[in-house]
Amino acid sequence: MHSPALPDPGAFSAAPTSYVSVDDGRIAYESTGEGPLVVLSHGIGDLRQSYRFLAPLLAAAGYRVVVADLRGHGDSSTGWASISRSDVASDLLALVRHLGGPAVLVGQSLSGGAATIAAARAPELISSVVELNPFTRVPTTDLGAMLRVRRYRRGGLLMGATVAFRSLGMWLRYLNAAYPAKPADWAEYTAALRAKLSEPERMGQFLLTMKTNGADAEAELAHVTVPVLVVMGSADPDFPDPAAEGAAIVAALPPGTGTLEVVEGAGHYLHAERPAETAALITRFLASHARA
């Protein structure tokens, strides 16, 4: 498959920001392209613009691509009492209803778990799921791997310091480790992220995401009936063995439901680091499996 050219580095989407109201707040999103609906949801402490490279590629492949900010993040409202995977799943389902689904859900990190929950609880609204380096199972710390695997040790220590010290600086250091290769607009993007997380309430809302462990998503894996693609970056610092984590997620799904792909050398943000490869995997999966 020939992938379309990437957008100019640093060029954030020019699409207008829209909002959908949900219980206790509103969720910001933007839309581009025409065709079957694909909704992209980012991970914790990030912005919807993390999909600034992937979204145009999916739109060019013939999809209507909607990119949403997590509750408490980006341009979504603040003041949330909880930001769990179940909360995000509820927000995504509200957005899909608002947009007139069904939709493909693409969720990265925590949003991968949220997409699992949404698909299990409302399969009539979700045609398929793509999980990018997802936290869909309850994470455990592998002490042996902390000693053996440098990237895993470094990622864990920086994430722990982010939470312990409520430190934006430590979070940005974690991101530096989680991107083995940097997009061309790295300095611009991280400056925009720093500015957003420096706004009142934003850092506190981000840290709320650390207060849940993913048990809600893990419990729903066996109930998912739509096709699921799990894509892992082999250099993701959040897992001692990313491929094994992806395989465990697929194994917990009903037989024949899940497919695993591994992008060698990619980190936790493979959608921004390796967007062309990620787009190729997603569009091939959708062509084969999605009913949208």
Side-chain angles (χ1 to χ4, degrees), residues 1-7 53 56-61 275-276 279-280 283:
M1 167 180 176
H2 175 69
S3 297
L6 291 176
F53 300 118
L57 297 180
L58 297 179
T283 53

Side-chain angles (χ1 to χ4, degrees), residues 145-162:
M146 289 285 280
L147 296 174
R148 298 189 310 271
V149 184
R150 181 179 180 273
R151 59 168 173 76
Y152 178 60
R153 179 172 64 252
R154 185 182 180 202
L157 291 173
L158 289 170
M159 186 69 78
T162 298

